[in-house]
């Protein structure tokens, strides 16, 4: 009988995510090694290494991404937090708040594309940009991999 391919991956999590990772890893027969804590108080992260069968390690990593939810990008001048993951949005959804409205981006195949979209968008979108600029940029960059809906802020 052939042995299943093994994998190890380092992940960076917030301290509050550690129990979820440990529980998910145990359920999928993945071993977790806590490497180190990094950061400056009050913001710190934990580096964990996952060890196990490739598919199990990938599953634990994907479950963590789903748990983190969608991405919120606030382009309005003076926004306190420009980019953040939030469980208020479903995994695979990106909401961009522009100066004149809101753009909702739904990633059609989130398991393969969501990370790429949320890593790329912050570099492409100008602070203070309009909803129409966001629509053009997202549609032009990701094409049919995403669907884009614009909601204008008309004061109602």
């Amino acid at each position: 009988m052939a042995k299943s391919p093994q994998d190890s991956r380092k992940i960076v999590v917030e301290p509050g995510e550690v129990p979820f990772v440990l529980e998910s890893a145990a359920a999928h027969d993945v071993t977790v090694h806590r490497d180190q804590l990094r950061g400056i108080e009050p913001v710190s992260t934990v580096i964990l290494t996952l060890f196990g069968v490739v598919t199990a390690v990938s599953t634990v990593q994907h479950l963590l991404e789903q748990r983190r939810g969608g991405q919120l990008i606030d382009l309005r001048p003076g926004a306190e937090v420009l980019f953040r993951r939030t469980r208020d949005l479903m995994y695979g959804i990106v909401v961009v708040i522009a100066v004149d409205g809101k753009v909702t981006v739904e990633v059609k195949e989130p398991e393969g594309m969501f990370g790429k979209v949320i890593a790329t968008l912050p570099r492409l979108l100008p602070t203070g940009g309009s909803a129409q600029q966001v629509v053009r940029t997202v549609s032009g960059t990701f094409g049919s991999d995403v669907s884009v809906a614009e909601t204008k802020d008309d004061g109602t």
Side-chain angles (χ1 to χ4, degrees), residues 6-137:
Q6 299 290 303
D7 192 13
S8 69
R9 293 188 198 165
K10 289 193 181 294
I11 60 172
V12 179
V13 299
E14 295 177 11
E17 294 175 317
V18 172
F20 176 82
V21 172
L22 294 175
E23 183 179 309
S24 298
H28 291 88
D29 202 24
V30 171
T31 303
V32 178
H33 179 262
R34 188 179 187 137
D35 293 342
Q36 61 187 354
L37 188 68
R38 72 177 192 189
I40 301 171
E41 291 300 327
V43 178
S44 60
T45 57
V46 179
I47 299 173
L48 302 174
T49 303
L50 307 177
F51 298 97
V53 175
V54 170
T55 55
V57 170
S58 294
T59 297
V60 172
Q61 199 169 13
H62 182 68
L63 289 171
L64 177 62
E65 283 301 310
Q66 284 183 315
R67 182 178 190 271
R68 288 177 172 164
Q71 178 79 28
L72 180 66
I73 301 174
D74 192 342
L75 300 178
R76 296 173 296 182
E80 287 184 32
V81 179
L82 300 178
F83 313 103
R84 68 180 172 94
R85 294 287 296 270
T86 175
R87 286 192 246 173
D88 293 337
L89 296 172
M90 185 175 71
Y91 172 73
I93 301 292
V94 179
V95 171
V96 181
I97 302 172
V99 293
D100 62 347
K102 179 173 78 172
V103 177
T104 302
V105 179
E106 182 177 350
V107 180
K108 293 183 180 175
E109 305 260 349
E111 191 167 342
M113 281 292 296
F114 189 63
K116 181 178 177 181
V117 171
I118 65 174
T120 304
L121 278 180
R123 293 191 308 264
L124 299 176
L125 301 175
T127 301
S130 72
Q132 192 56 48
Q133 285 175 305
V134 172
V135 169
R136 279 194 307 270
T137 300

